[in-house]
Amino acid sequence: MTHDMNPANDRTCQAAVAYDLMRDILLDDPRRPAPTSDEFRTYLLDLYAECLLAVNGKRVSMNAKPGEMRTTPPPPPPPREREKREAASAPKLVKAN
């Protein structure tokens, strides 16, 4: 497989970002099971799944009620150039005292 066709080379795709996040958490988590234990595989898959949800803004908050997700709303769209110009050239009203 060439460099251009390998998705692992794109470190900005959501799966790669989730993997990097999982790896960072895994290395620092004092509660992780030993790699030779039966629980390690389940722990690793659950951690990666949670990281994928977090990267997509759909991670369930630990404080959320059942069925409730904490999501980040998308940022507002940038104003169009015409709206910017109109706002800049609009007269400013001064409040009289």
Side-chain angles (χ1 to χ4, degrees), residues 23-41:
R23 194 177 60 203
D24 290 346
I25 292 170
L26 176 70
L27 296 174
D28 290 335
D29 188 359
R31 297 174 297 160
R32 76 176 180 268
T36 56
S37 71
D38 293 337
E39 303 88 37
F40 185 73
R41 184 179 187 146

Side-chain angles (χ1 to χ4, degrees), residues 23-90:
R23 194 177 60 203
D24 290 346
I25 292 170
L26 176 70
L27 296 174
D28 290 335
D29 188 359
R31 297 174 297 160
R32 76 176 180 268
T36 56
S37 71
D38 293 337
E39 303 88 37
F40 185 73
R41 184 179 187 146
T42 301
Y43 167 82
L44 195 63
L45 291 171
D46 288 345
L47 179 59
Y48 181 67
E50 185 175 357
C51 290
L52 272 174
L53 290 172
V55 167
N56 289 306
K58 297 179 181 176
R59 181 176 172 269
V60 177
S61 170
M62 298 301 280
N63 298 326
K65 297 173 186 151
E68 178 183 55
M69 285 195 282
R70 178 177 62 184
T71 60
T72 306
R80 294 184 219 146
E81 287 301 316
R82 181 175 163 208
E83 292 170 347
K84 285 183 193 176
R85 285 193 309 268
E86 288 173 358
S89 64

Side-chain angles (χ1 to χ4, degrees), residues 5 13-15 17 22-23 38 60 67 77 82-83 95:
M5 296 181 66
C13 73
Q14 292 175 334
V17 172
M22 178 203 66
R23 194 177 60 203
D38 293 337
V60 177
R82 181 175 163 208
E83 292 170 347
K95 188 175 182 181

